[in-house]
Amino acid sequence: MAAVTKRVRGEREFWEARVTIKGHPPLSKTFDKNKKRDAVKWAQEQEVKIRGGDKVSRKSERTTVADALTEYLAAHTTTDAEGDTVSTLTNTKRYGVESVKHHLGDFTIDTLSHKVISAFLKKLQVTPIPQPANKTKTHPLYDGDRVRCYTPGSARKLFYALNECDHPI
């Protein structure tokens, strides 16, 4: 059942939309004092989704990509008999997950869209790869001093690393 009530906290007035249906966790969201129509619409949409059998959760609005990927890495890390931590992921895959976590970690799961990921992959292909920090001198036959960018294949690997990290929302 959906309910919209007016709330007052100090000088702040707002509308609280709450959806409570037996067998489902309660959902609630607050709206500004001039947005009662939006609160009613949101509550009705959530109720229709729940009654239609869709999975409805507000967790995706609060969970960042960094949190989800940290949880993914933790799920694929075990301890061996000596007490050392061992990753069940390959080094390439772990590097890809860490890279995506670094670049897209501030986005929430809800705001991560096809446009954001596409822009990230396109920007990655024009971003110069930094030189290794431990490089001290160059051999005359070494060709590694030229500026290089990520290839489309490398960008695709990062996309697949993100795509494989299923997060229960």
Side-chain angles (χ1 to χ4, degrees):
M1 179 173 170
V4 177
T5 55
K6 188 173 188 176
R7 302 279 187 200
V8 178
R9 296 228 170 98
E11 295 179 12
R12 185 171 177 256
E13 294 181 19
F14 57 92
W15 292 96
E16 180 184 35
R18 180 171 293 274
V19 180
T20 53
I21 296 177
K22 187 175 183 178
H24 295 277
L27 297 172
S28 66
K29 187 173 180 179
T30 59
F31 295 86
D32 291 335
K33 68 177 183 178
N34 300 330
K35 304 282 184 171
K36 180 179 180 182
R37 183 176 298 179
D38 293 342
V40 170
K41 181 180 175 186
W42 179 86
Q44 289 172 346
E45 287 173 356
Q46 300 307 310
E47 188 174 4
V48 167
K49 284 181 184 178
I50 291 172
R51 294 198 190 282
D54 290 345
K55 185 176 179 182
V56 180
S57 174
R58 302 267 328 266
K59 187 175 183 181
S60 63
E61 294 176 4
R62 296 183 303 269
T63 305
T64 64
V65 173
D67 294 339
L69 293 178
T70 301
E71 186 177 314
Y72 176 77
L73 290 172
H76 291 331
T77 303
T78 59
T79 54
D80 60 4
E82 291 85 33
D84 298 328
T85 58
V86 178
S87 177
T88 58
L89 299 173
T90 62
N91 288 339
T92 305
K93 182 151 304 194
R94 194 169 25 82
Y95 171 78
V97 171
E98 290 288 346
S99 180
V100 170
K101 180 179 164 183
H102 172 73
H103 292 291
L104 299 176
D106 294 336
F107 287 95
T108 63
I109 300 289
D110 206 34
T111 59
L112 192 64
S113 65
H114 175 67
K115 285 183 179 180
V116 171
I117 295 171
S118 178
F120 163 67
L121 295 177
K122 286 178 184 174
K123 185 176 180 182
L124 197 63
Q125 293 177 25
V126 296
T127 302
I129 299 172
Q131 293 289 333
N134 60 357
K135 182 179 174 191
T136 55
K137 62 180 184 176
T138 313
H139 190 275
L141 299 176
Y142 180 62
D143 186 28
D145 283 340
R146 63 185 164 93
V147 176
R148 298 172 189 232
C149 296
Y150 290 96
T151 63
S154 296
R156 243 188 337 270
K157 286 179 185 177
L158 294 180
F159 171 73
Y160 292 142
L162 178 66
N163 194 27
E164 195 169 298
C165 299
D166 295 333
H167 185 267
I169 298 173

